[in-house]
Amino acid sequence: MVPAASDLGSCAPGPGPRAAMRRTREEVDATLQIAKLDRAELLPAVHCLAFGPEAAGDLCLLELEPALCQQLQAGSSLVIRGDKDEPAVLCSKDKTYDLKIADTSNMLLVIPGCKTPDQLKMEDTHCNLTHTEIFGFSNNYWELRRCRPKLKKLKRLLMENTYEGPDSQKEKDSNCSKYTTEDLLDQIQASEEEIMARLQVLNACEIGGYWRILEFDYEMKLLTHVTQLVDSESWSFSKVPLSISLQELGPLEPEEMIEHCLKCYGRKYIEEGEVYFELSADKICRATAQMLLQNAVKFNLAEFQEVWQQSVPEGMITRLDQLKGEVDRRRHCSIY
């Protein structure tokens, strides 16, 4: 790249005699001669730089990858998240980045309207002389490094006040902690899309504008209602109609809770204009095992497997691989 000739009119911030002066072409040529630079190797355009009277040295410069620049230019925003005791992260709509300070031996100058050599090559310039004021400067900049979203805090916050049903005494207590989407965005160091994806993994649902995780006993109560309805109506677990389920179970529990339970334990699909759910045998068997084990301290494996199989809906087969990860979570249990 062939550089354009640049002449720094003042070597220190703030107005001074040199910053106020206007260099001539002859002075620039004399400077090039003293520096032993060949004019033929430079572009004809000359930028004479000088620190303006309000040049700021406290700027925070941020290096962005092209994709993030395009998002900003399209109107998207970037957010820095983190409490006082947490390292800051920067979040786009769908990604999370660590913020790291990178020092540089060269002073970085912020010059509004400054053109690059490539831009100057495309212009018809003939030894023009441009006087430009430096807006700000810095000796370091922030660089971004893609990182995993910090989502452990999300489950901890939601577990502070699990949902036990509309008639629970906790729902009448206004002091119980609840979190809206905006609350979670303020406290969780992750992008909005990453937070929403994690909420889905946690089977969280939005109740009255607040994100809640169902108390396990209440979740099992809802699941029992659903499986008993499937059995009484002789439906296939692969084709559970939503409308009839809501109609039959609505008098027992809020319809949104019934639908949420179907979403947690099944796959939604549409057939001939009707909404159905295909319930997952693995998820139901696992949840049943969790219910049997939740207060267990010691159990015989063979006896547990027998009780487990008897506890799941008819037609479902229990397997130990359905409990992958559950044994590690229950280290207090003794198996014999």
Side-chain angles (χ1 to χ4, degrees):
M1 179 182 295
V2 182
S6 296
D7 181 23
L8 190 59
S10 174
C11 61
R18 297 288 291 172
M21 293 176 59
R22 291 275 180 167
R23 289 180 181 269
T24 64
R25 184 73 206 200
E26 289 73 18
E27 288 177 316
V28 172
D29 290 342
T31 302
L32 292 176
Q33 187 175 2
I34 294 173
K36 296 182 180 181
L37 295 175
D38 186 356
R39 284 185 55 181
E41 297 178 354
L42 304 175
L43 293 175
V46 177
H47 281 285
C48 290
L49 307 181
F51 285 98
E54 298 181 359
D58 57 352
L59 297 181
C60 291
L61 304 180
L62 182 64
E63 183 183 56
L64 297 178
E65 58 187 35
L68 287 178
C69 285
Q70 292 173 4
Q71 290 180 26
L72 285 177
Q73 292 168 349
S76 298
S77 60
L78 302 176
V79 183
I80 295 176
R81 296 192 171 113
D83 288 336
K84 292 181 179 180
D85 59 343
E86 297 172 330
V89 299
L90 182 139
C91 300
S92 65
K93 185 179 180 181
D94 59 349
K95 295 181 178 65
T96 303
Y97 301 85
D98 278 328
L99 282 166
K100 302 294 182 182
I101 291 182
D103 293 320
T104 174
S105 57
N106 297 321
M107 182 179 290
L108 301 173
L109 305 178
V110 179
I111 306 171
C114 186
K115 295 180 180 180
T116 65
D118 287 340
Q119 291 173 321
L120 292 172
K121 285 180 183 179
M122 300 174 63
E123 297 181 356
D124 185 16
T125 56
H126 298 285
C127 300
N128 61 316
L129 193 65
T130 303
H131 292 83
T132 306
E133 282 194 350
I134 297 170
F135 175 78
F137 59 94
S138 179
N139 288 316
N140 55 52
Y141 62 95
W142 292 92
E143 63 179 4
L144 304 181
R145 298 177 186 175
R146 180 75 188 279
C147 68
R148 296 179 63 183
K150 298 171 174 55
L151 295 166
K152 288 184 179 180
K153 185 178 179 181
L154 177 60
K155 183 176 181 180
R156 177 170 60 81
L157 292 178
L158 296 182
M159 290 301 291
E160 292 174 355
N161 180 26
T162 53
Y163 186 71
E164 299 178 358
D167 299 326
S168 170
Q169 184 62 36
K170 287 200 306 183
E171 297 308 305
K172 302 174 184 178
D173 185 357
S174 59
N175 294 323
C176 291
S177 56
K178 297 179 183 178
Y179 301 93
T180 64
T181 299
E182 289 303 316
D183 293 333
L184 296 178
L185 290 174
D186 286 340
Q187 298 196 47
I188 304 302
Q189 292 185 290
S191 69
E192 183 172 357
E193 288 190 10
E194 290 167 330
I195 291 174
M196 291 300 155
R198 187 59 181 175
L199 286 170
Q200 187 173 1
V201 171
L202 294 173
N203 288 335
C205 60
E206 201 169 9
I207 302 173
Y210 298 96
W211 285 101
R212 310 290 297 276
I213 288 179
L214 302 190
E215 180 71 27
F216 182 68
D217 289 343
Y218 181 62
E219 181 179 322
M220 292 306 298
K221 179 182 178 182
L222 294 172
L223 181 59
T224 300
H225 285 322
V226 170
T227 55
Q228 288 179 347
L229 178 64
V230 172
D231 180 63
S232 65
E233 297 290 339
S234 299
W235 292 336
S236 167
F237 279 102
S238 63
K239 194 172 184 179
V240 179
L242 174 62
S243 60
I244 300 178
S245 298
L246 298 181
Q247 180 181 340
E248 294 294 325
L249 299 178
L252 302 177
E253 296 292 343
E255 291 186 358
E256 59 269 24
M257 291 294 95
I258 299 299
E259 185 171 0
H260 176 69
C261 181
L262 289 169
K263 289 179 180 178
C264 291
Y265 289 92
R267 179 185 64 85
K268 181 179 179 179
Y269 66 95
I270 298 176
E271 184 176 297
E272 297 180 354
E274 293 291 329
V275 178
Y276 294 92
F277 281 88
E278 179 184 4
L279 297 182
S280 168
D282 285 348
K283 288 183 178 180
I284 293 175
C285 289
R286 179 184 175 88
T288 304
Q290 288 174 325
M291 178 185 66
L292 297 173
L293 291 172
Q294 62 179 340
N295 296 317
V297 176
K298 184 178 182 180
F299 62 89
N300 177 276
L301 180 59
E303 291 179 358
F304 164 74
Q305 288 180 284
E306 182 179 354
V307 174
W308 182 23
Q309 181 60 59
Q310 293 172 353
S311 301
V312 300
E314 185 177 355
M316 293 188 178
I317 305 298
T318 59
R319 305 185 314 275
L320 288 178
D321 65 280
Q322 293 167 338
L323 298 182
K324 185 177 180 180
E326 185 65 17
V327 174
D328 287 339
R329 196 170 69 86
R330 301 184 178 276
R331 297 181 183 274
H332 64 278
C333 292
S334 175
I335 307 172
Y336 64 95

